[in-house]
Amino acid sequence: MITFRDIKDHYRFSEPEVETLRHLLPRVEPPVGQITDDFYIF
Amino acid sequence: MPGTARFLEDDVRLARLRQSHHDWILNLFKGTFDESYHKRLQRIGHAHVRIGLAAHYVYAAMNFIRERLRLIIDDEVDSELQANALRAVNKILDLNLDVIARTYHEEELRRVFLTSKLDDAVIRFAHRFTFGLNMTLVIGLLGLSLGAVVMIVIDVVSVFSGQFEKGLIGALGSLLVLWLVIELLEAEIDRLRGGAFKLHLFVGVGLVALIREELISSISHKDITVQALYIGGILVLGFISWLLSRSEGKNKVRPR
Ligand code: HEM
């Protein structure tokens, strides 16, 4: 059985990338409501 | 998207849905990607499979979200950091899609496996059942042939006990029945060995039964209309039998 660790390794999803995503949170948070609204009408 | 409208009709559900999808997007950026995150993704996949949403819409939605997040990065992130940000976002989206799509594939496999197992069981049962029916038919035909032999013996006994005419004609009819039962048995054995079904034999059964009745009624001086009915029946069945044996003969593959 394939584990989540295997999946992350196969995508070479590294700790620095996790950090990059964390830094993006404050930029994504304000417009996310608009994205979810548009999600149902696209 | 027209295929998704039926999931979005109920206002209460839509509000809950907005919250779920909103939280899911934010969780992409919260940095906790452990086994419980993995489990949550599998649950998301199962939730969509359960409601009957085609995987296609999940792929399309993922593409939509990817595009919107790219626009945010374009607008909000310093240009020298954009490539890294975009790579990280693409990876986490692909990871999500990987796990969610897998639940769809697993569900499909499970269904195919289940139906093929069910098909096998039904086919196996049908095979055994038809085998049982065929055996009943063969045993029935064997019983019938024994009955025909007994009829002949009774007819022969009546020949020697003074009822010469009745016994002789009865024996003739019984011989006819025996001959037909033998034909039927042979046809059934042939069919069990893979031969074709011979419909004309079954018409022959009716024909022979009528001939026998006619033979017996002619010596017991039955009403003329009954006899006419028997003769009419014999003619009709004889004609059908002739047509059938002709067409079955034509369908046979002749060696060149
Ligand atoms: C990127 C693709 C999508 C993601 C990541 C996603 C995510 C989620 C999440 C996190 C939930 C909550 C699951 C739970 O109860 O644990 C959910 C439920 C749901 N999603 Fe999506 N979704 C996606 C696409 C869609 C699309 C295209 C539709 C179609 C309108 C849809 C309709 C629903 C519905 C109806 C439920 C509620 C299921 C229920 O009542 O239990 N989703 N989704």
Side-chain angles (χ1 to χ4, degrees), chain B residues 220-231:
Chain B
S220 48
H221 309 295
K222 273 205 178 146
D223 188 5
I224 188 78
T225 47
V226 176
Q227 292 204 32
L229 267 177
Y230 285 148
I231 290 173

Side-chain angles (χ1 to χ4, degrees), chain A residues 39-40 42, chain B residues 1 4-5 7-8 13 16-17 20-21 24 40 43-44 47-48 50-51 53 57-59 61-63 65 96-97 100:
Chain A
F39 187 74
Y40 306 105
F42 77 100
Chain B
M1 285 189 288
T4 61
F7 302 107
L8 312 170
R13 193 187 206 187
R16 205 177 57 224
L17 214 59
S20 297
H21 290 156
W24 169 75
R40 210 171 325 140
R43 222 180 33 244
I44 294 172
H48 294 96
R50 197 176 53 238
I51 61 170
L53 179 75
Y57 295 111
V58 176
Y59 288 106
M62 200 61 92
N63 183 266
I65 286 164
N96 269 258
L97 192 56
I100 296 172

Side-chain angles (χ1 to χ4, degrees), chain B residues 12-25:
Chain B
V12 181
R13 193 187 206 187
L14 193 57
R16 205 177 57 224
L17 214 59
R18 267 209 180 87
Q19 193 59 50
S20 297
H21 290 156
H22 179 276
D23 293 347
W24 169 75
I25 295 179

